[in-house]
Amino acid sequence: MDENMSANQQPEQVAKDVVVSIEYTLKVEGEVVDYSDRDEPLEYIQGHDQIIPGLESALAGMAVGESKEVNVSAADAYGEMDNEAMVQVDRSDFPEEVPMEIGTQVQVRNMDGHVLDARIAAIEGDQVTLDFNHPLAGKDLLFNVTIVALRNATEEEIEHGHVHGDDMEEEFDDDDFDFEDDEDEDDEFEEYDEEDNEAENN
Ligand code: ZN
């Protein structure tokens, strides 16, 4: 075979450094919780930790047009529930505008200055339990995936570990410029300090 031709060939199956386009539906406990937008498949580079490991390994070797049902156990997805990620906070630490309802999502700044997502998991008297676990922690995930397209990643994409757009515009992203992460948003509601909190509970 012509060398030039083999170098430019589209990959025939999902393998490392291949840009994979997938359509997917994600079900948890029988309910659809996520799916790819119509006409806009999810694109990722195989072998670069861009999607959960249990799904990535199940897709290896698949060809365009193939579909598969993939069951990923919690441990290979977002991990098991971590009881240490449940933290009690005084109700008075919340600003008034935060609804005191189970399921309310809040953002909390920790000691390192990182903003973390949490949900109100319980309210008892003036004690509010915040759950810092990922919303899908402890859940088994059922994906229905169809491979829509495969192409070889460019050297730049492999170096960056993510897919670049296919238009001619220059790509701007965190790896191209040294921007800080946008963690200084002003919607966190308190200076959160886990050690202080534990001390208060003792
Ligand atoms: Zn990039």
Side-chain angles (χ1 to χ4, degrees):
M1 188 184 286
D2 182 316
E3 262 179 50
N4 213 7
M5 198 177 145
S6 58
N8 291 323
Q9 249 176 3
Q10 293 301 307
E12 285 178 6
Q13 58 183 34
V14 176
K16 185 163 168 51
D17 296 339
V18 169
V19 175
V20 184
S21 303
I22 58 172
E23 285 177 356
Y24 72 93
T25 304
L26 168 57
K27 285 186 189 175
V28 173
E29 291 158 3
E31 301 232 346
V32 174
V33 299
D34 192 19
Y35 54 89
S36 53
D37 290 335
R38 218 175 163 71
D39 304 324
E40 202 178 329
L42 174 77
E43 282 191 313
Y44 74 94
I45 308 177
Q46 180 82 358
H48 291 262
D49 298 326
Q50 287 198 281
I51 61 174
I52 58 172
L55 180 59
E56 185 176 73
S57 58
L59 299 183
M62 288 179 70
V64 172
E66 269 191 84
S67 296
K68 198 176 199 178
E69 200 172 81
V70 182
N71 211 326
V72 184
S73 66
D76 289 327
Y78 294 96
E80 303 292 350
M81 285 288 283
D82 178 4
N83 284 330
E84 306 222 330
M86 309 285 277
V87 177
Q88 291 219 315
V89 182
D90 280 354
R91 193 176 186 136
S92 59
D93 288 341
F94 293 81
E96 279 177 27
E97 63 267 24
V98 175
M100 283 295 113
E101 289 164 15
I102 289 172
T104 296
Q105 302 204 11
V106 297
Q107 291 192 310
V108 180
R109 175 172 289 216
N110 72 1
M111 288 167 68
D112 304 327
H114 292 114
V115 176
L116 306 174
D117 289 313
R119 293 176 313 286
I120 295 179
I123 304 168
E124 284 176 50
D126 65 351
Q127 288 293 298
V128 177
T129 304
L130 287 179
D131 179 2
F132 288 86
N133 283 290
H134 188 282
L136 293 176
K139 310 278 192 194
D140 295 335
L141 311 183
L142 180 63
F143 290 93
N144 276 283
V145 182
T146 301
I147 307 295
V148 177
L150 299 173
R151 67 171 172 83
N152 292 308
T154 65
E155 280 181 31
E156 194 181 44
E157 285 174 323
I158 292 168
E159 194 184 312
H160 287 193
H162 56 228
V163 176
H164 286 170
D166 57 4
D167 54 31
M168 296 303 286
E169 283 176 41
E170 208 173 331
E171 174 85 6
F172 298 107
D173 60 39
D174 287 353
D175 293 324
D176 304 320
F177 295 93
D178 200 19
F179 288 137
E180 298 229 8
D181 278 350
D182 188 20
E183 282 172 340
D184 283 323
E185 290 165 23
D186 54 10
D187 48 355
E188 71 271 16
F189 65 87
E190 65 175 334
E191 292 289 322
Y192 176 69
D193 185 326
E194 193 166 339
E195 285 182 8
D196 279 358
N197 187 265
E198 281 168 5
E200 281 167 21
N201 289 336
N202 286 339

